[in-house]
Amino acid sequence: MDIRTNIPLKNLTTMKLGGPARFFAEIHTPPELQELYQNAVSKQISVFVIGGGSNLVAQDAGYQGLVLRMRIPGFEILKDDIYSTVIKVGAGEAWDPIVAKTVQMNLSGIEALSAIPGTAGAAPVQNIGAYGQEISETLVSLEAYDTSNNTFVTLENSDCHFSYRYSIFRGEEEGRYIITSITLELSKNQPSPPFYDSLQAYLDEHAIKIITHQSVRDAVVDIRKEKLPDPAVKPSSGSFFKNTIVEQWKITDIQKTYPELKSYDMGDGKFKISTGWLIEKCGFKGQLIHGMRINEKNCLVLINESATGYSDLAEARDEIITKVRDTFQIQLEQEPLEIPAS
Ligand SMILES: Cc1cc2nc3c(=O)[nH]c(=O)nc-3n(C[C@H](O)[C@H](O)[C@H](O)COP(=O)(O)OP(=O)(O)OC[C@H]3O[C@@H](n4cnc5c(N)ncnc54)[C@H](O)[C@@H]3O)c2cc1C
């Protein structure tokens, strides 16, 4: 096992901020994970697991413990019948190539989640979602190392308490489970309407009439290219804030001043409104504050253009949160998680 020291977290996160991890290692198998974890526990060293670092912000002080980067591979077909195929994917697999592979297999269920950076194992953590799909709709179960009991467990979908950008892994059980594989059940049906508004608009605009898994994937990839800066060129964590979930009265209230406000019916009496739109209405569009550029095409994305450290990002974030709260009486929620300093 190769344990390295003083590895800069800015090289392990797409926001490109953060001081060094005191210890760092990569995990290729579940037994290796258990051994390294227990070894750290016996030395009273804390452990933090990362995947692609695309939904993570690190502190300038770095991390005083052991950072484990998930690399467990695997792609296995567990079941295949005329209706669906069940696949098991290693937590360290890059997410988008898995989507590409399932699309090639004419399977439906995650094609709208194309081009999301990161690993398969992190996908359930915030219940990744885009263009009308969420991983919770296809995830059957997952395998994880339970750090509380030093055992490997299988958690069913219902154990994960999924909701919008939420699961127990970033909620009540944060830090307890290290996911080693996920199992998805994907349908053999063609993708069918209704599609997410912006996806349908793209399909109409490009006169795409025959909707296949591949055409949905291609459309999503194209829309994302237009709206989202490539983190390899412009460092970011994608959306820096969650979209805003409100009740009908709040929409009616905002529409008194902004009749153009759009909302997305969540189907449970709640509605999603675009946080990017709220930030734009507060005048931040395209602005550079504390070294962070508020992306011109999608104000949800904060690009690290010249931030000197975590504190610059925190100041920019707090300025945006305060202005949106004062203007709309809405409290924004940060989407990326934070690596604690110790
Ligand atoms: C340009 C861009 C676009 C994005 N678009 C979207 C989008 O459309 N929809 C969306 O939902 N997200 C989006 N994201 C956010 C991000 O890509 C996803 O949240 C992704 O699932 C994070 O994967 P990761 O491997 O990079 O996780 P990391 O950032 O490394 O980790 C995220 C969290 O998961 C935990 N974690 C990681 N691996 C494991 C594991 N194996 N077991 C337990 N916990 C683990 C970490 O401790 C951390 O708390 C975007 C990000 C970027 C940069």
Side-chain angles (χ1 to χ4, degrees), residues 27-45:
I27 296 297
H28 301 95
T29 65
E32 192 181 31
L33 167 62
Q34 185 173 33
E35 192 183 334
L36 269 173
Y37 194 93
Q38 287 307 313
N39 190 24
V41 167
S42 70
K43 296 187 169 76
Q44 293 180 318
I45 293 171

Side-chain angles (χ1 to χ4, degrees), residues 49 51-55 117-119 122 126 128-129 165 177 179 224 237-238 337:
V49 177
S54 62
N55 206 31
T119 54
Q126 75 154 358
I128 56 166
R165 297 294 189 276
Y177 296 106
I179 298 164
R224 292 179 69 98
S237 306
L337 291 134

Side-chain angles (χ1 to χ4, degrees), residues 28 30 114 121 128 169 174 192 204 218 228 232 252 257 269 286 291 296 310:
H28 301 95
S114 290
I128 56 166
F169 311 109
E174 188 175 354
S192 58
D204 293 343
D218 292 345
L228 281 165
T252 310
T257 316
E296 181 86 33
Y310 172 85

